[in-house]
């Protein structure tokens, strides 16, 4: 079974600085999808960025980028120019390709605080 | 376009009571999911559906039931509520596509006392 591990329960960053959140996963599959979701205090789950395992190029979305290391099964999220609105829980998630289930497997999350 | 909607937003149940959490999506997605999120944890899958009339258990199905009579609706039924079911419940949907992005509802906070 696939597992997702986020080893940093809490992180803190100064406004305008850069922070990296770590995520590792365990799988025997060669094709899969990885996601980072943001959960602010409102509880809404917001997709931040996704990465297809078959793509070697790291995904980027504005100030958010990932460092995808397939051999190491590592998927870290880098937030550049941190803003107060980035403060939230961040969840790393894994999804198998195709198949009949298609659910996401989540890590326990990292709580990010942004200091003004 | 409302996306995924859930009702109610909050609910307090007494032990042994029953209730139904409603979930509706207007994106014509075939896949729908129910997750629960316990404090300090990620989301865990309760039940899922790949289309109307087709449902199956996820990781933590005990104490819950689902049905899917239409593409849009995927209600979650709690029978004989227990304190262990105190959690935040999320409904999500996606379509069978390459990106498999899941869209989440706003969640229902349920307390069983």
């Amino acid at each position: 079974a696939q597992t997702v591990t986020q080893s940093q329960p809490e992180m803190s960053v100064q406004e305008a600085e850069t922070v990296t959140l770590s995520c590792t996963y365990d799988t025997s599959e060669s094709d899969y999808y990885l996601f980072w979701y943001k959960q602010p205090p409102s509880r809404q789950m917001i997709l931040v960025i996704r990465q297809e395992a078959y793509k070697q190029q790291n995904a980027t979305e504005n100030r958010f980028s990932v460092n995808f290391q397939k051999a190491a099964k590592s998927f870290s999220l880098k937030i550049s120019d941190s803003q107060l609105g980035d403060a939230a829980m961040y969840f790393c998630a894994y999804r198998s390709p195709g198949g009949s289930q298609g659910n996401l497997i989540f890590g326990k999350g990292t709580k990010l605080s942004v200091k003004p | 376009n409302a996306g995924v909607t859930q009702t109610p937003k909050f609910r307090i149940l007494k032990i042994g009571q029953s209730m139904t959490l409603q979930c509706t999506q207007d994106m014509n997605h075939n896949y729908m999911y129910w997750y629960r999120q316990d404090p300090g944890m990620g989301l865990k899958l309760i039940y899922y559906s790949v289309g109307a009339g087709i449902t199956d258990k996820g990781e933590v199905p005990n104490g819950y039931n689902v049905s899917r009579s239409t593409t849009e609706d995927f209600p979650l039924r709690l029978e004989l509520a227990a304190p262990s079911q105190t959690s935040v419940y999320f409904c999500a949907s996606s379509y069978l596509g390459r990106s498999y992005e899941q869209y989440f509802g706003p969640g229902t906070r349920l307390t069983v006392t």
Side-chain angles (χ1 to χ4, degrees), chain A:
Chain A
Q2 295 82 17
T3 58
V4 176
T5 302
Q6 293 179 249
S7 59
Q8 306 154 316
E10 296 188 26
M11 291 283 285
S12 180
V13 64
Q14 205 71 32
E15 194 175 8
E17 301 276 299
T18 296
V19 64
T20 299
L21 308 185
S22 301
C23 173
T24 59
Y25 57 94
D26 188 26
T27 183
S28 58
E29 297 172 320
S30 59
D31 192 19
Y32 46 86
Y33 301 87
L34 296 165
F35 303 85
W36 278 98
Y37 277 87
K38 172 185 178 181
Q39 187 180 42
S42 67
R43 288 203 314 253
Q44 182 70 50
M45 295 291 286
I46 302 165
L47 179 65
V48 174
I49 199 166
R50 64 170 163 261
Q51 174 80 42
E52 292 91 339
Y54 68 89
K55 290 185 177 179
Q56 292 187 336
Q57 187 173 5
N58 289 324
T60 62
E61 287 286 344
N62 300 314
R63 297 183 295 108
F64 299 88
S65 62
V66 297
N67 183 2
F68 173 50
Q69 301 289 327
K70 191 172 184 179
K73 296 179 182 175
S74 171
F75 182 60
S76 60
L77 174 70
K78 186 171 84 171
I79 306 174
S80 303
D81 186 26
S82 297
Q83 300 175 359
L84 295 177
D86 294 334
M89 284 291 291
Y90 286 82
F91 292 95
C92 179
Y94 172 102
R95 190 200 189 281
S96 295
S100 62
Q101 190 158 344
N103 62 293
L104 295 170
I105 298 168
F106 287 86
K108 292 185 178 181
T110 297
K111 183 177 182 181
L112 178 66
S113 302
V114 181
K115 298 178 181 177

